[in-house]
Amino acid sequence: MLGEASYKEINEQFESWKSVLSLKKQFENKIKEIKLKEYKEILFVGCGSSYYLSQAGSNIFSKLTGQKAKALPASELIFFPETHIDKNSDNLIFFVSRSGKTTEVIKALEIINSLDNVTSIGVTCYEDSLLAQKSDFLFPAKEGKEDSVVMTKSFTSMLINIQIISGIWSNNEEYLNELDKLPDIFNLIRNNIDKKVKDFVNNNDYDKYAFLAQGNLFGIASESMLKIKEMAIVPSEAYHSLEFRHGPKSIADKKMLIVVFVNEISRDSELKLASEIKDYNADVILVGNNIVDKNLNADLIIDLDTNNKDLSLTPLYLLIGQYLGYYTATKKNLDVDNPRNLTQVVESI
Ligand code: F1P
């Protein structure tokens, strides 16, 4: 079966999430030490999928802790550190990397480590990596280790790590309890999402894709864009939902699929946007939690249908992007386990 290893790792997220969540007590003392300093703005830095993971993680972290936070590609920190490092205060930077050895991440970390007012945090699947060795604090997600070149369970395992850190940092027991429910919710809805996406892909053909979302789900839209690009070798884009109306909608037509990850905060505007998109003859998949009602205008609706709030559910939304990429690729007889032009780690620039 094509892409067997990647498909297996998508389905193994229950186990990796369960393991990551079982270790959260070990984070408490590290976070207490990190919080001894005051930070004006906290950076989350990564490359590729890990940059998109940083987009989702920084938004969740900021919402829960009240701290200003933003995501950056590691290359930005290499070329423009002065733009992002406050030289008159303490700085905190999360470096996110599955391998812990991506060139730009290591180069950025080395620049940062030469400064005495920056604390570095490593979030990686490999505890023996350069990132793990060179960071001031390490929050490993070894359960996210995977054979696939494209990131799947490593992404969600490291994201849950950042969610745990955010929950402990903000002493939010309710949020940490919601995180503990994620593996069981995954098990409850996985089959249904897998089947719905597989059937939809087998019955529809598109030549371009867009993924739209706001807030904490924007990183999921970005990662879903990359998944289908890496796996199925198709043009795909990601935008903040309402940004799609400011120009990008010009390419919408009947050969385009647009996936909207509906945020509970921007829900009404996004449901209206979906109707507007349908007027351009593009097809729409709506993904949300408790969004089903009579006047939804979409070609497929995937409702997570849980009592959790979006901030905890964020990793689950990615299941749709992972299965969409996988089934679109296998329909084209592409082997996701050996994606074109890609390696598991990008080590040379
Ligand atoms: C991340 C990354 C992925 C990309 C490919 C190569 O590396 O660039 O985003 O999809 O798998 O690796 P890492 O820094 O997270 O190891």
Side-chain angles (χ1 to χ4, degrees):
M1 166 180 151
L2 281 176
E4 191 165 356
S6 303
Y7 182 71
K8 181 170 170 290
E9 285 165 347
I10 292 171
N11 296 341
E12 278 171 354
Q13 289 177 106
F14 167 81
E15 287 79 7
S16 52
W17 296 4
K18 202 109 181 110
S19 309
V20 168
L21 286 160
S22 69
L23 302 171
K24 62 176 178 289
K25 279 273 173 228
Q26 295 175 11
F27 290 4
E28 288 171 359
N29 290 336
K30 289 180 192 173
I31 293 166
K32 211 175 280 171
E33 191 178 342
I34 294 165
K35 284 180 72 177
L36 291 176
K37 291 181 179 175
E38 294 278 313
Y39 310 101
K40 272 198 192 142
E41 181 173 53
I42 295 171
L43 300 181
F44 289 72
V45 169
C47 297
S49 292
S50 296
Y51 167 48
Y52 303 139
L53 198 173
S54 300
Q55 287 176 340
S58 60
N59 187 282
I60 292 168
F61 180 86
S62 188
K63 279 218 183 78
L64 283 171
T65 65
Q67 287 263 170
K68 275 176 69 58
K70 74 179 177 187
L72 271 182
S75 51
E76 275 298 288
L77 213 46
I78 296 172
F79 300 123
F80 312 104
E82 71 290 347
T83 310
H84 306 290
I85 302 297
D86 185 321
K87 55 182 183 303
N88 302 317
S89 71
D90 286 314
N91 295 263
L92 179 65
I93 304 179
F94 286 78
F95 289 90
V96 182
S97 171
R98 167 179 65 179
S99 61
K101 53 184 185 178
T102 292
T103 307
E104 294 99 298
V105 170
I106 300 305
K107 278 187 182 241
L109 182 59
E110 283 165 353
I111 291 169
I112 291 311
N113 281 347
S114 65
L115 306 172
D116 57 15
N117 64 330
V118 186
T119 303
S120 56
I121 291 179
V123 178
T124 180
C125 299
Y126 292 87
E127 292 170 293
D128 55 353
S129 63
L130 261 179
L131 171 58
Q133 293 159 25
K134 290 171 174 276
S135 301
D136 297 322
F137 294 90
L138 177 63
F139 292 89
K142 56 183 188 301
E143 305 73 17
K145 281 193 187 93
E146 58 200 349
D147 297 328
S148 61
V149 172
V150 295
M151 289 172 64
T152 53
K153 68 175 184 176
S154 59
F155 183 104
T156 52
S157 300
M158 292 193 286
L159 177 56
I160 290 175
N161 250 10
I162 293 170
Q163 290 179 289
I164 292 170
I165 294 165
S166 307
I168 294 172
W169 187 297
S170 52
N171 302 308
N172 191 327
E173 280 312 312
E174 183 197 353
Y175 183 76
L176 291 168
N177 292 335
E178 283 204 354
L179 292 182
D180 284 336
K181 293 177 191 154
L182 288 180
D184 290 340
I185 297 173
F186 175 90
N187 262 359
L188 200 64
I189 66 178
R190 190 207 73 75
N191 271 319
N192 178 43
I193 292 176
D194 184 336
K195 184 177 181 327
K196 275 188 169 182
V197 172
K198 181 178 182 179
D199 293 346
F200 189 85
V201 168
N202 289 339
N203 296 317
N204 295 281
D205 291 304
Y206 305 100
D207 59 17
K208 50 192 174 293
Y209 298 77
F211 298 85
L212 311 181
Q214 304 279 167
N216 55 295
L217 297 180
F218 178 63
I220 300 304
S222 299
E223 172 61 4
S224 299
M225 169 279 290
L226 185 62
K227 280 293 82 65
I228 200 163
K229 189 174 282 183
E230 290 178 325
M231 290 175 164
I233 323 290
V234 290
S236 68
E237 305 168 314
Y239 296 101
H240 287 90
S241 303
L242 298 192
E243 276 300 296
F244 188 70
R245 306 176 66 227
H246 300 273
K249 67 181 182 183
S250 56
I251 67 166
D253 63 20
K254 63 181 188 323
K255 293 299 284 175
M256 185 168 198
L257 176 62
I258 296 165
V259 180
V260 185
F261 294 100
V262 180
N263 195 305
E264 58 198 1
I265 306 289
S266 45
R267 178 190 190 285
D268 294 347
S269 302
E270 287 169 325
L271 297 185
K272 285 192 197 111
L273 171 66
S275 289
E276 184 182 334
I277 291 169
K278 285 303 295 166
D279 294 344
Y280 307 132
N281 298 318
D283 279 356
V284 174
I285 295 180
L286 283 176
V287 185
N289 187 40
N290 301 318
I291 56 169
V292 176
D293 70 35
K294 56 193 179 311
N295 54 8
L296 292 188
N297 185 358
D299 301 275
L300 175 64
I301 295 165
I302 296 180
D303 194 326
L304 303 186
D305 191 20
T306 85
N307 297 323
N308 275 33
K309 297 190 185 67
D310 270 12
L311 275 185
S312 59
L313 290 174
T314 306
L316 277 163
Y317 282 89
L318 184 56
L319 258 181
I320 289 84
Q322 293 172 342
Y323 284 128
L324 197 59
Y326 173 75
Y327 284 118
T328 306
T330 41
K331 183 177 178 182
K332 293 173 67 176
N333 280 320
L334 294 171
D335 181 6
V336 179
D337 292 347
N338 299 288
R340 190 172 76 176
N341 301 345
L342 295 184
T343 54
Q344 211 188 37
V345 185
V346 176
E347 289 190 80
S348 56
I349 51 171

mmCIF file of all heavy atoms in Angstrom, residues 47-50 96-100 102 105 149-151 226 230 343-346, ligand 1:
data_model
loop_
_atom_site.group_PDB
_atom_site.id
_atom_site.type_symbol
_atom_site.label_atom_id
_atom_site.label_comp_id
_atom_site.label_asym_id
_atom_site.label_seq_id
_atom_site.Cartn_x
_atom_site.Cartn_y
_atom_site.Cartn_z
ATOM 1 N N CYS A 47 11.127 25.926 11.221
ATOM 2 C CA CYS A 47 11.192 25.909 9.743
ATOM 3 C C CYS A 47 10.117 24.966 9.211
ATOM 4 O O CYS A 47 9.841 23.937 9.815
ATOM 5 C CB CYS A 47 12.543 25.402 9.273
ATOM 6 S SG CYS A 47 13.905 26.452 9.770
ATOM 7 N N GLY A 48 9.559 25.326 8.058
ATOM 8 C CA GLY A 48 8.580 24.428 7.427
ATOM 9 C C GLY A 48 7.432 24.128 8.373
ATOM 10 O O GLY A 48 6.882 25.026 9.019
ATOM 11 N N SER A 49 7.104 22.846 8.489
ATOM 12 C CA SER A 49 5.992 22.442 9.386
ATOM 13 C C SER A 49 6.206 22.981 10.789
ATOM 14 O O SER A 49 5.267 23.396 11.472
ATOM 15 C CB SER A 49 5.898 20.926 9.442
ATOM 16 O OG SER A 49 5.488 20.407 8.202
ATOM 17 N N SER A 50 7.464 22.999 11.235
ATOM 18 C CA SER A 50 7.731 23.464 12.606
ATOM 19 C C SER A 50 7.517 24.964 12.752
ATOM 20 O O SER A 50 7.251 25.453 13.863
ATOM 21 C CB SER A 50 9.149 23.063 13.013
ATOM 22 O OG SER A 50 9.214 21.636 13.041
ATOM 23 N N VAL A 96 11.564 25.291 17.780
ATOM 24 C CA VAL A 96 10.755 24.087 17.522
ATOM 25 C C VAL A 96 11.344 23.343 16.323
ATOM 26 O O VAL A 96 11.531 23.928 15.247
ATOM 27 C CB VAL A 96 9.295 24.478 17.226
ATOM 28 C CG1 VAL A 96 8.431 23.241 17.000
ATOM 29 C CG2 VAL A 96 8.719 25.330 18.372
ATOM 30 N N SER A 97 11.681 22.070 16.526
ATOM 31 C CA SER A 97 12.285 21.303 15.426
ATOM 32 C C SER A 97 12.174 19.806 15.692
ATOM 33 O O SER A 97 12.705 19.327 16.701
ATOM 34 C CB SER A 97 13.773 21.671 15.292
ATOM 35 O OG SER A 97 14.423 20.809 14.379
ATOM 36 N N ARG A 98 11.512 19.093 14.803
ATOM 37 C CA ARG A 98 11.361 17.634 14.974
ATOM 38 C C ARG A 98 12.745 17.006 15.129
ATOM 39 O O ARG A 98 12.996 16.310 16.100
ATOM 40 C CB ARG A 98 10.626 17.014 13.785
ATOM 41 C CG ARG A 98 10.699 15.502 13.723
ATOM 42 C CD ARG A 98 9.948 14.918 12.554
ATOM 43 N NE ARG A 98 10.514 15.299 11.266
ATOM 44 C CZ ARG A 98 10.020 14.885 10.094
ATOM 45 N NH1 ARG A 98 8.942 14.098 10.060
ATOM 46 N NH2 ARG A 98 10.570 15.257 8.949
ATOM 47 N N SER A 99 13.635 17.273 14.201
ATOM 48 C CA SER A 99 14.954 16.621 14.189
ATOM 49 C C SER A 99 15.887 17.221 15.229
ATOM 50 O O SER A 99 16.823 16.593 15.701
ATOM 51 C CB SER A 99 15.595 16.792 12.811
ATOM 52 O OG SER A 99 15.761 18.203 12.567
ATOM 53 N N GLY A 100 15.685 18.544 15.507
ATOM 54 C CA GLY A 100 16.619 19.230 16.401
ATOM 55 C C GLY A 100 17.960 19.489 15.741
ATOM 56 O O GLY A 100 18.940 19.800 16.423
ATOM 57 N N THR A 102 17.955 20.982 12.145
ATOM 58 C CA THR A 102 17.736 21.799 10.939
ATOM 59 C C THR A 102 18.682 22.991 10.940
ATOM 60 O O THR A 102 18.812 23.684 11.966
ATOM 61 C CB THR A 102 16.278 22.259 10.900
ATOM 62 O OG1 THR A 102 15.462 21.108 10.686
ATOM 63 C CG2 THR A 102 16.017 23.283 9.831
ATOM 64 N N VAL A 105 17.624 26.481 12.233
ATOM 65 C CA VAL A 105 17.310 26.500 13.673
ATOM 66 C C VAL A 105 18.603 26.534 14.484
ATOM 67 O O VAL A 105 18.758 27.328 15.420
ATOM 68 C CB VAL A 105 16.459 25.267 14.054
ATOM 69 C CG1 VAL A 105 16.321 25.101 15.555
ATOM 70 C CG2 VAL A 105 15.075 25.360 13.409
ATOM 71 N N VAL A 149 8.964 11.256 6.042
ATOM 72 C CA VAL A 149 9.680 12.505 5.734
ATOM 73 C C VAL A 149 8.813 13.701 6.094
ATOM 74 O O VAL A 149 9.233 14.618 6.778
ATOM 75 C CB VAL A 149 10.053 12.549 4.230
ATOM 76 C CG1 VAL A 149 10.624 13.906 3.848
ATOM 77 C CG2 VAL A 149 11.030 11.438 3.907
ATOM 78 N N VAL A 150 7.538 13.648 5.630
ATOM 79 C CA VAL A 150 6.642 14.754 5.968
ATOM 80 C C VAL A 150 6.223 14.590 7.418
ATOM 81 O O VAL A 150 6.067 13.480 7.916
ATOM 82 C CB VAL A 150 5.395 14.771 5.049
ATOM 83 C CG1 VAL A 150 5.799 15.044 3.610
ATOM 84 C CG2 VAL A 150 4.586 13.510 5.165
ATOM 85 N N MET A 151 6.068 15.694 8.126
ATOM 86 C CA MET A 151 5.742 15.620 9.555
ATOM 87 C C MET A 151 4.269 15.330 9.771
ATOM 88 O O MET A 151 3.416 15.930 9.141
ATOM 89 C CB MET A 151 6.131 16.937 10.231
ATOM 90 C CG MET A 151 7.643 17.112 10.344
ATOM 91 S SD MET A 151 8.157 18.744 10.918
ATOM 92 C CE MET A 151 7.469 18.787 12.554
ATOM 93 N N LEU A 226 0.773 22.847 3.521
ATOM 94 C CA LEU A 226 2.054 22.191 3.242
ATOM 95 C C LEU A 226 1.897 20.689 3.065
ATOM 96 O O LEU A 226 2.539 20.074 2.202
ATOM 97 C CB LEU A 226 3.057 22.504 4.356
ATOM 98 C CG LEU A 226 4.479 21.977 4.142
ATOM 99 C CD1 LEU A 226 5.105 22.596 2.890
ATOM 100 C CD2 LEU A 226 5.367 22.234 5.347
ATOM 101 N N GLU A 230 3.285 18.839 -0.145
ATOM 102 C CA GLU A 230 4.382 17.858 -0.026
ATOM 103 C C GLU A 230 3.935 16.461 -0.470
ATOM 104 O O GLU A 230 4.659 15.742 -1.131
ATOM 105 C CB GLU A 230 4.842 17.771 1.435
ATOM 106 C CG GLU A 230 5.580 18.989 1.947
ATOM 107 C CD GLU A 230 5.962 18.836 3.417
ATOM 108 O OE1 GLU A 230 5.192 18.218 4.182
ATOM 109 O OE2 GLU A 230 7.034 19.334 3.794
ATOM 110 N N THR A 343 13.659 15.803 1.963
ATOM 111 C CA THR A 343 14.418 14.938 2.893
ATOM 112 C C THR A 343 13.838 15.192 4.281
ATOM 113 O O THR A 343 13.177 16.211 4.509
ATOM 114 C CB THR A 343 15.910 15.354 2.921
ATOM 115 O OG1 THR A 343 15.949 16.766 3.215
ATOM 116 C CG2 THR A 343 16.582 15.083 1.592
ATOM 117 N N GLN A 344 14.128 14.275 5.199
ATOM 118 C CA GLN A 344 13.507 14.433 6.516
ATOM 119 C C GLN A 344 14.083 15.636 7.271
ATOM 120 O O GLN A 344 13.424 16.247 8.087
ATOM 121 C CB GLN A 344 13.700 13.173 7.366
ATOM 122 C CG GLN A 344 12.495 13.017 8.298
ATOM 123 C CD GLN A 344 12.660 11.928 9.315
ATOM 124 O OE1 GLN A 344 13.745 11.701 9.834
ATOM 125 N NE2 GLN A 344 11.560 11.265 9.601
ATOM 126 N N VAL A 345 15.362 15.947 6.958
ATOM 127 C CA VAL A 345 15.961 17.123 7.605
ATOM 128 C C VAL A 345 16.636 17.970 6.526
ATOM 129 O O VAL A 345 17.270 17.441 5.629
ATOM 130 C CB VAL A 345 17.039 16.708 8.645
ATOM 131 C CG1 VAL A 345 17.536 17.953 9.378
ATOM 132 C CG2 VAL A 345 16.478 15.702 9.620
ATOM 133 N N VAL A 346 16.482 19.286 6.641
ATOM 134 C CA VAL A 346 17.165 20.195 5.705
ATOM 135 C C VAL A 346 18.391 20.726 6.431
ATOM 136 O O VAL A 346 18.284 21.498 7.388
ATOM 137 C CB VAL A 346 16.238 21.360 5.308
ATOM 138 C CG1 VAL A 346 16.975 22.343 4.409
ATOM 139 C CG2 VAL A 346 14.999 20.818 4.605
HETATM 140 C C1 F1P B 1 11.163 20.528 9.522
HETATM 141 C C2 F1P B 1 11.131 20.212 7.996
HETATM 142 C C3 F1P B 1 9.708 19.939 7.631
HETATM 143 C C4 F1P B 1 9.577 19.547 6.180
HETATM 144 C C5 F1P B 1 10.501 18.402 5.848
HETATM 145 C C6 F1P B 1 11.905 18.727 6.271
HETATM 146 O O1 F1P B 1 12.301 20.106 10.062
HETATM 147 O O2 F1P B 1 11.620 21.335 7.314
HETATM 148 O O3 F1P B 1 8.955 21.092 7.859
HETATM 149 O O4 F1P B 1 8.256 19.157 5.977
HETATM 150 O O5 F1P B 1 10.073 17.267 6.557
HETATM 151 O O6 F1P B 1 11.927 19.088 7.676
HETATM 152 P P1 F1P B 1 12.509 20.093 11.651
HETATM 153 O O7 F1P B 1 13.313 21.321 11.969
HETATM 154 O O8 F1P B 1 11.166 20.135 12.314
HETATM 155 O O9 F1P B 1 13.253 18.830 11.903
#
